[in-house]
């Protein structure tokens, strides 16, 4: 079990940090990637308290970007962030050979680690999931974070599979968006895998049972408070952590419960003046005026937008 202060936890924190955001990919009006805006968002996130940025995760609209665009995104983010944060490349998809190729290219482009999601749509068996994850971890000499999100992938990574994968030297952590706290507790108690909350509504519960950090969408707005909450849990000050968590509920609700996170995150960043364009690539559509007004009102109530 990765407990704060032990070697497994130290290795995970050294590899990934503790406060991460799965960053959006800004686009221009013509649908091309706006790389100066990418630089602005990455800088904003690090200044706000992130020590980890996930590039080309789901919130980065990775299903709609090409491999060449993903590699250029990595290079641009690395160029502007430098060593101020770990850069984790989302390389997982539902084709193993493609995952391996993208992982290798991401390593060459300067990624500090890779995030590998469960292969989606095809619903592989647990042995097949394990084989896919091991192949990805074998393909690069980088730390690997597994992404367990059955709501999107269609299948969970079972407890026994996770425990088994924990013996791979490159597989250090899990981004947990499964919503099964007892299963998570079992994996943490029976393996050295470190856990990161991948579900903003459960950030504090997951931290309280042993997660080392978060990989957030709401972090586009409230990473400052997430960092304080993580520190409070590390300091065993649950009362302070609980209060901070309550202060983030409005932002989490606005960004996670009413529309896809990428849409609400871009709306929030535009409302704050970080982004000029909240455009998305189809099949997603950007926030409409009603959604924009809702997000702006929630940010105002939460103190993240001036009236």
């Amino acid at each position: 079990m990765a407990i704060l202060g032990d070697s497994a936890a130290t290795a995970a924190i050294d590899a990934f940090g503790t406060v991460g955001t799965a960053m959006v990919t800004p686009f221009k009006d013509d649908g091309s990637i706006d790389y100066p805006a990418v630089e602005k968002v990455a800088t904003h996130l690090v200044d706000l308290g992130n020590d980890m940025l996930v590039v080309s995760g789901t919130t980065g609209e990775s299903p709609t970007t090409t491999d060449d665009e993903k590699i250029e995104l990595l290079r641009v983010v690395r160029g502007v962030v430098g060593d101020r944060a770990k850069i984790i490349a989302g390389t997982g998809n539902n084709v193993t050979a493609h995952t391996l190729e993208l992982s290798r290219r991401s390593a060459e482009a300067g990624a500090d680690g890779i995030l590998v999601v469960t292969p989606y749509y095809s619903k592989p068996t647990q042995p097949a999931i394990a084989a896919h994850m091991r192949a990805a971890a074998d393909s690069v000499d980088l730390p690997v974070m597994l992404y367990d999100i059955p709501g999107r992938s269609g299948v969970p990574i079972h407890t026994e599979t996770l425990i088994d994968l924990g013996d791979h030297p490159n597989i250090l952590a899990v981004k947990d968006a499964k919503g099964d706290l007892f299963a998570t507790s079992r994996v943490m108690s029976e393996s050295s895998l470190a856990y990161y909350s991948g579900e903003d509504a459960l950030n504090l519960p997951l931290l309280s049972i042993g997660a080392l950090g978060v990989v957030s969408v709401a972090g586009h707005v409230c990473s400052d408070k997430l960092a304080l909450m993580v520190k409070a849990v590390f300091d065993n000050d649950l009362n302070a952590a609980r209060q901070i968590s309550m202060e983030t509920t409005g932002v989490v609700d606005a960004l996670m419960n009413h529309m896809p996170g990428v849409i609400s995150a871009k709306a929030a960043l535009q409302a704050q003046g970080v982004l000029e364009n909240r455009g998305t690539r189809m099949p997603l559509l950007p926030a409409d005026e009603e959604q924009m007004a809702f997000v702006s009102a929630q940010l105002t109530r939460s103190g993240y937008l001036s009236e």
Side-chain angles (χ1 to χ4, degrees):
M1 177 181 180
I3 301 174
L4 188 64
D6 74 13
S7 59
T10 299
I13 292 173
D14 287 347
F16 300 113
T18 59
V19 180
T21 293
M23 68 175 282
V24 299
T25 300
F27 298 117
K28 300 177 183 178
D29 288 336
D30 64 4
S32 62
I33 294 178
D34 186 341
Y35 290 105
V38 170
E39 294 180 335
K40 188 174 182 181
V41 171
T43 301
H44 162 76
L45 291 175
V46 176
D47 289 346
L48 198 57
N50 288 275
D51 58 4
M52 177 209 318
L53 299 180
V54 174
V55 177
S56 296
T58 309
T59 309
E61 297 177 73
S62 58
T64 70
T65 57
T66 68
D67 285 2
D68 287 345
E69 287 175 325
K70 290 178 174 68
I71 297 306
E72 185 61 18
L73 280 166
L74 268 176
R75 291 184 176 129
V76 168
V77 173
R78 171 59 73 203
V80 71
V81 169
D83 60 1
R84 296 177 63 204
K86 298 294 184 181
I87 311 301
I88 310 304
T91 63
N93 54 70
N94 63 342
V95 179
T96 300
H98 187 190
T99 297
L100 305 191
E101 176 63 19
L102 187 55
S103 297
R104 295 186 190 105
R105 289 187 64 186
S106 297
E108 293 168 359
D112 293 304
I114 61 172
L115 177 71
V116 184
V117 70
T118 316
Y120 41 83
Y121 189 75
S122 52
K123 291 189 175 182
T125 64
Q126 292 299 306
I129 291 171
H132 174 89
M133 297 303 192
R134 287 184 180 277
D138 287 339
S139 70
V140 291
D141 187 21
L142 289 176
V144 177
M145 183 182 291
L146 308 179
Y147 190 7
D148 190 7
I149 182 167
R152 288 185 182 271
S153 67
V155 290
I157 311 176
H158 288 174
T159 299
E160 293 75 14
T161 304
L162 286 163
I163 292 169
D164 179 63
L165 287 168
D167 69 9
H168 194 290
N170 288 348
I171 298 176
L172 303 186
V174 180
K175 179 185 176 186
D176 185 14
K178 185 157 54 185
D180 187 338
L181 296 180
F182 183 70
T184 295
S185 295
R186 272 201 60 202
V187 176
M188 287 194 290
S189 69
E190 297 180 35
S191 78
S192 62
L193 287 171
Y195 264 73
Y196 289 78
S197 172
E199 189 168 350
D200 278 308
L202 295 179
N203 284 339
L204 181 56
L206 281 161
L207 288 166
S208 71
I209 64 170
L212 298 180
V214 301
V215 180
S216 174
V217 174
H220 284 93
V221 175
C222 63
S223 291
D224 52 350
K225 289 186 178 178
L226 296 180
L228 291 173
M229 182 170 63
V230 170
K231 184 179 185 304
V233 174
F234 284 5
D235 292 340
N236 292 314
D237 190 347
L238 193 56
N239 285 333
R242 188 183 298 117
Q243 179 59 42
I244 297 164
S245 177
M246 290 179 179
E247 292 170 2
T248 69
T249 56
V251 173
V252 170
D253 176 62
L255 268 65
M256 303 309 298
N257 292 339
H258 302 272
M259 62 198 86
V262 58
I263 295 172
S264 53
K266 285 185 171 182
L269 291 172
Q270 187 184 54
Q272 291 183 313
V274 178
L275 271 183
E276 293 183 5
N277 190 325
R278 65 179 185 268
T280 56
R281 282 184 177 173
M282 291 185 71
L284 297 179
L285 294 175
D288 60 27
E289 293 308 313
E290 182 178 348
Q291 291 170 321
M292 190 72 190
F294 170 76
V295 170
S296 296
Q298 286 287 70
L299 294 189
T300 301
R301 281 193 288 271
S302 300
Y304 280 97
L305 191 64
S306 300
E307 295 191 54

